[in-house]
Amino acid sequence: MPKLAHLTSIAHNLADSLSSGCGFMIGKYDMDIHGEAAASKEGFIDVDFLSGETAGGRVSASLAAAIERYREELPELCHRHKVDVADFGALKVRFGGAGLDRYCVVTVKDRRGRSSVDEYRGSPAARVKILDALGRVRSR
């Protein structure tokens, strides 16, 4: 069973790829999920990479096809990382904002039920760091 951090790393790579609009792993280079999210009344788009389903703002046919390609390529990406796609209990990302304010919130659960939620901002997607009450850096 892979560590949760390994699964989270794979999820971040997927989120960053879709967020950047340059989907090298799927051969599609003209995606703008943040633009579509910002243009929606909801202001965000949730993507479930395991099912290929979305929620929140509506997605264009082109973006829906790209998300489906990510779902199809996920088992191969997992294989390259020496994990099984079945090791994921959940792999969801919320995309929102636009321009310099773009963000994605990556939620991962492993098949044992352990979970991780990390927020990333910008492009490339960098983890948001906060200080706790003792002045230590903590991920949000």
Side-chain angles (χ1 to χ4, degrees), residues 12-13 15-22 34 95 99-104 119-128:
H12 171 263
N13 289 344
D16 194 38
S17 177
L18 183 53
S19 180
S20 74
C22 297
H34 291 284
F95 296 90
L100 297 176
D101 292 327
R102 67 175 49 194
Y103 70 89
C104 54
E119 181 176 353
Y120 300 89
R121 293 205 172 259
S123 183
R127 189 180 312 209
V128 175

Side-chain angles (χ1 to χ4, degrees), residues 28-43:
K28 186 160 177 61
Y29 313 107
D30 59 347
M31 302 169 290
D32 187 8
I33 193 164
H34 291 284
E36 291 190 29
S40 72
K41 68 178 182 171
E42 294 85 356

Side-chain angles (χ1 to χ4, degrees), residues 26-136:
I26 64 166
K28 186 160 177 61
Y29 313 107
D30 59 347
M31 302 169 290
D32 187 8
I33 193 164
H34 291 284
E36 291 190 29
S40 72
K41 68 178 182 171
E42 294 85 356
F44 66 88
I45 295 171
D46 289 339
V47 175
D48 182 330
F49 282 97
L50 296 177
S51 69
E53 296 177 0
T54 63
R58 288 182 73 152
V59 297
S60 65
S62 175
L63 183 57
I67 291 167
E68 178 60 20
R69 289 286 298 132
Y70 278 105
R71 186 196 64 75
E72 292 168 353
E73 290 297 321
L74 181 58
E76 178 59 31
L77 177 64
C78 289
H79 178 74
R80 287 194 307 270
H81 285 269
K82 298 182 178 19
V83 300
D84 190 312
V85 73
D87 291 325
F88 285 98
L91 196 175
K92 299 179 180 184
V93 181
R94 173 167 286 188
F95 296 90
L100 297 176
D101 292 327
R102 67 175 49 194
Y103 70 89
C104 54
V105 178
V106 179
T107 302
V108 174
K109 186 180 288 187
D110 69 13
R111 62 182 171 187
R112 291 184 195 165
R114 295 177 300 172
S115 63
S116 170
V117 178
D118 294 302
E119 181 176 353
Y120 300 89
R121 293 205 172 259
S123 183
R127 189 180 312 209
V128 175
K129 302 273 187 193
I130 59 171
L131 296 178
D132 67 11
L134 300 174
R136 298 175 296 196

